[in-house]
Amino acid sequence: MIARRLFSSDRRIAVTIATLLAAAVIVPVLNLAVPADSVFHMPSYVVALVGKYLCYALLALALDLVWGYCGILSLGHGAFFALGGYAMGMYLMRQIGPRGVYSHPTLPDFMVFLNWKELPFTWWGFSSFPYAMLMVGLVPGILAFVFGWFAFRSRVTGVYLSIITQALTYALMLAFFRNDMGFGGNNGLTDFKDILGFNIQSQTTRAVLFSLSVLALMAGYLVARAIVTSKAGKILIAVRDAEARTRFLGYRVENYKLFVWTVSAVMAGIAGALYVPQVGIINPSEFSPANSIETIVWVAVGGRGTLVGAALGAGVVNFAKSWFTGAFPQGWLFALGGLFVFVTLFLPKGIVGTFTEWWRTRAAKREPPASAAAEQPAQ
Amino acid sequence: MLIDPMDMHVPTEAVQAIERPLVVTQSLLYLDGVSVSFDGFRAINNLSLVIAPGEMRAIIGPNGAGKTTMMDIITGKTKPDTGDVIFDGQIDLTQLDETAIANLGIGRKFQKPTVFESHTVEDNVEMAVKADRTVFGTLFSRHSAEIWKRVDEILGIVRLGDHRRRMAGDLSHGQKQWLEIGMLLAQDPKLLLVDEPAAGMTDVETGATADLLKDIAKTHSVVVVEHDMGFIRELGVKVTCLHEGSVLSEGTLDKVSADERVIEVYLGR
């Protein structure tokens, strides 16, 4: 019985990893090596679109880790995503160098426009790629750690916690809208030229970014899985289901929450950092609470507490969004709301959760006849 | 000459010492003059109670007598307004939180059986077994034969061996009660606080639970809150009757149940 359970969960990992690895190789090949007139050619816009979905999938995975496994419903995970995105955007801005509209040797265009004379300290070091990558993880991580340290220690839970996470992302949005914050105000950061010396618009760079997104999603999945299948993962689920009981067993609930919350924020930051070079812009609207709420819908649709489901949900819902906004531009928000209601009422476990349950009951139904058949010859 | 009060030496330590003298006792659990009010309602009123090491004690009393609140105070869920709660001779429990108190060796079973429903029975016990409880300790913990041997033992004691792979949420009410007692045992506490272990059980189950608790009491100190007088008679231990947040009567079951005031407020005529 244990062997079978291990086998089936191993199979799920294997299938997920194989699919992702295949995508990481096949999609760039179809895009770059197959001639444009072939039916197998994958147009660049599709690569960019799917690359974007992959970043969303990583964000959804991060949210599922805290919501699905630890019961922390964050309505502000977009904030960590956007902060990671800004860290990457700042690096890309510094790479523009003197090629900006105003041809200033160091200052980005918007600072020249604001009549600033030197780079604010927040921008120091961002011309270095390793430093920028460090900030991609560190900034969301530290914010999450400090926020979580206070929130979990004061035992803020449930809907109250959700509301303050939403307030957090809203406050950041208002702050980033301000020109004097030094992050480009409402225009944000855009007009990127190159990344590590490679032209950011080129087909090859985009294909590489796509593959990196796949690998990041895979790494995120493996880390999240390692956490949830460890003994600490059992404690997280215990906290989700009966927080007080876990305390009386002698576990420091706030430390478990803080750990998983911070890991999740770093994952969201990495997702944001991969997102920005692929869409070519980051602006304060990424902090908008609506984005974070949309992420909740992805996870709910895919199935919370399943990891794979969260990533899948992000893909499915965003694909529907891309199609819908083309076909019925006015209808998307209604469709999204309708989808959320539908999933809550009819698929409370989401796509993957429902499928897994169906699979298990089918397997359980099969079992008794098999044992009965084995007994018959003995009679 | 005027003296600036800010310059005066105020012996703060001494003042604190007067406020909260260091109580050292021989008892395992020592409650003295404990009171707590919720919105003006005195749930616990000048309660004093002493549990000796190795003792088993039954607590009875009508609804609202403060039995569960007393357990909340001992386990750190509720802070008393006044009074001393001393564990193991000298540890002041009023200064500690639930986690710290649990790790000191006080385990608690709730009135409503509370198990982790989406975990299997064996995982419930495994989480309770005494082991490293830090985040990184559990994150990197490997399969430990020692822990699982203990899990097997506990499942044997609480007779849930056949149900070990079932989800705890699928167990019957009585089985959940037993699982929770098993988890309590797995923690290997010095003191077990058991709130209504026989609630919702059949007579046979109640008898088995009494036997189990008597067994546990051989090696642990136990405080049992229960309404079922038959169950308490079966335990055959010293009884404390609470009423309106303080001790009404204490002694053998026969002595307590003969007490006029106990009959008045609890047993009925």
Side-chain angles (χ1 to χ4, degrees), chain B residues 3 30 51 53 58 63 79 111 114 122 130 136 144 147 164 166 168 174 177 203 208 237 244 252 263 267:
Chain B
I3 298 170
Y30 173 92
I51 308 289
N63 287 326
K79 297 278 167 235
Q111 192 170 349
T114 317
E122 58 182 6
K130 221 177 189 178
F136 292 101
S144 150
I147 287 179
R164 57 187 305 158
R166 282 176 73 192
Q177 297 268 41
D203 287 349
V237 295
E244 291 178 347
T252 61
I263 296 168
L267 299 173

Side-chain angles (χ1 to χ4, degrees), chain A residues 83-332:
Chain A
L83 285 172
Y86 264 96
M88 176 59 103
M90 284 159 80
Y91 163 75
L92 296 172
M93 286 305 269
R94 297 286 282 122
Q95 290 312 102
I96 298 172
R99 289 171 292 175
V101 178
Y102 298 109
S103 306
H104 192 283
T106 51
L107 292 190
D109 280 347
F110 75 90
M111 291 188 193
V112 181
F113 184 76
L114 291 172
N115 241 333
W116 289 12
K117 296 293 170 229
E118 55 189 18
L119 215 55
F121 78 96
T122 44
W123 283 72
W124 294 351
F126 272 96
S127 52
S128 146
F129 186 74
Y131 175 80
M133 289 310 101
L134 188 68
M135 289 299 131
V136 160
L138 218 52
V139 172
I142 289 177
L143 176 70
F145 186 86
V146 172
F147 177 88
W149 200 85
F150 286 108
F152 302 140
R153 208 147 288 250
S154 333
R155 299 198 183 171
V156 181
T157 53
V159 68
Y160 301 101
L161 187 80
S162 301
I163 290 168
I164 51 172
T165 53
Q166 182 148 57
L168 172 80
T169 194
Y170 194 69
L172 281 167
M173 180 177 76
L174 295 182
F176 274 74
F177 263 127
R178 294 169 58 94
N179 278 328
D180 51 10
M181 273 287 281
F183 298 110
N186 58 349
N187 294 319
L189 310 174
T190 186
D191 213 10
F192 309 133
K193 304 280 191 238
D194 44 36
I195 178 167
L196 285 171
F198 300 102
N199 180 1
I200 206 161
Q201 305 288 347
S202 88
Q203 226 177 339
T204 325
T205 313
R206 287 182 162 273
V208 170
L209 282 168
F210 175 90
S211 295
L212 285 176
S213 306
V214 178
L215 294 180
L217 179 61
M218 194 173 84
Y221 172 71
L222 289 176
V223 167
R225 217 189 138 79
I227 292 173
V228 303
T229 52
S230 72
K231 190 173 173 189
K234 288 183 193 170
I235 310 300
L236 290 176
I237 292 173
V239 170
R240 178 190 75 189
D241 292 347
E243 187 174 329
R245 189 76 188 84
T246 319
R247 274 207 185 91
F248 286 114
L249 272 190
Y251 290 99
R252 285 244 159 255
V253 167
E254 54 272 27
N255 291 356
Y256 280 86
K257 285 184 170 178
L258 189 57
F259 166 74
V260 77
W261 174 251
T262 308
V263 169
S264 169
V266 173
M267 274 167 70
I270 294 170
L274 283 161
Y275 172 82
V276 168
Q278 296 186 78
V279 298
I281 183 168
I282 174 84
N283 64 32
S285 69
E286 292 296 337
F287 284 106
S288 128
N291 284 17
S292 299
I293 291 168
E294 216 167 293
T295 313
I296 303 281
V297 180
W298 306 338
V299 178
V301 168
R304 86 181 175 113
T306 59
L307 296 181
V308 176
L312 192 73
V316 169
V317 177
N318 279 294
F319 177 77
K321 183 181 184 175
S322 301
W323 178 77
F324 235 96
T325 43
F328 315 96
Q330 307 301 319
W332 170 242

Side-chain angles (χ1 to χ4, degrees), chain B residues 83-95:
Chain B
D84 291 310
V85 185
I86 311 291
F87 178 66
D88 213 3
Q90 54 180 13
I91 304 162
D92 184 357
L93 295 182
T94 59
Q95 303 301 310

